[in-house]
């Protein structure tokens, strides 16, 4: 059993807070806002948590991991007249999360690099232009003598060919380094095509499913 499953914390029971059942590797959190999980067996509780963690590993948008999601377990009911397996509980929990997720205006996130460019001051403007042309942003520009340091951020997807363009434009008078900093929301105008491409690369239909697909009729 993982550490997150063992350390169940108690807090007021309502639809905004509850006992923590699981903190998944991508910082997704499952909260028991029903107050019912203490009344079920360990096997059922494990199946509920497993369904949550499974749903977080490959979300319904494009089969990629979900990040920074809070799931409130408001209520659940198990049939007393039928036999059910842990796998069935997992699937039920996963479908519920998928359906709820798709009604919450989900966004596609992309990895963002922090970038530091040190360049001859007379070429700082051109360097900033190249950065902004690739959806990058500079948040600090400092000039010291003949050199200017540009600190900013750039989407990882926009860095292909960046080195060649900057080197050519500055005639090799720029030095830079990039490293992962955070995940940022992708602009809506790019999201639809990226999601479609990712889904097709995974053998999925190009369109994101409707929430109704995961809801019991």
């Amino acid at each position: 059993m993982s550490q997150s499953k063992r350390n169940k914390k108690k807090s007021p029971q309502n639809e905004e807070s509850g006992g923590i059942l699981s903190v998944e590797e991508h910082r997704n959190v499952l909260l028991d806002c029903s107050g019912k999980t203490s009344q079920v067996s360990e096997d059922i509780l494990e199946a509920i948590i497993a369904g949550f963690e499974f749903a977080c590993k490959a979300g319904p948008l494009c089969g990629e991991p979900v990040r920074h999601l809070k799931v409130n377990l408001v209520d659940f009911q198990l049939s007393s007249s039928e036999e059910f397996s842990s796998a069935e509980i997992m699937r039920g929990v996963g479908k519920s999360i998928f359906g709820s997720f798709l009604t919450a205006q989900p966004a596609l996130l992309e990895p963002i690099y922090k970038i530091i460019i040190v360049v001859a001051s007379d070429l700082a403007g051109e360097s900033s232009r190249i950065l902004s042309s690739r959806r990058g942003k500079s948040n600090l520009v400092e000039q010291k003598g003949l050199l200017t340091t540009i600190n900013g951020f750039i989407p990882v997807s926009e860095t292909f060919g960046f080195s060649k363009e900057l080197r050519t434009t500055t005639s090799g008078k720029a030095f830079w380094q990039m490293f992962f900093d955070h995940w940022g929301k992708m602009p809506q105008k790019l999201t639809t095509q990226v999601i479609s491409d990712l889904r097709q690369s995974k053998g999925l239909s190009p369109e994101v499913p409707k929430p109704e697909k995961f809801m019991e009729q």
Side-chain angles (χ1 to χ4, degrees), residues 78-151:
L78 299 173
S79 172
S80 59
S81 60
E82 299 179 8
E83 292 291 330
F84 49 81
S85 66
S86 295
E88 289 173 315
I89 295 174
M90 285 177 57
R91 285 195 294 270
V93 171
K95 287 173 64 177
S96 297
I97 291 174
F98 279 177
S100 298
F101 179 84
L102 290 170
T103 64
Q105 298 181 329
L108 191 65
L109 301 180
E110 60 180 340
I112 306 294
Y113 278 154
K114 181 176 178 61
I115 183 169
I116 301 172
I117 303 172
V118 180
V119 63
S121 293
D122 60 328
L123 295 169
E126 276 298 295
S127 299
S128 294
R129 181 194 61 77
I130 294 172
L131 180 62
S132 62
S133 72
R134 291 171 174 266
R135 295 196 289 125
K137 297 179 180 179
S138 58
N139 61 347
L140 180 63
V141 179
E142 295 181 302
Q143 182 175 350
K144 292 183 179 180
L146 299 177
L147 296 177
T148 295
T149 301
I150 302 170
N151 290 269

Side-chain angles (χ1 to χ4, degrees), residues 35-52:
K36 290 185 175 182
T37 57
S38 60
Q39 304 168 20
V40 300
S41 69
E42 189 70 16
D43 288 344
I44 292 175
L45 179 58
E46 290 290 331
I48 291 173
I49 294 173
F52 160 74

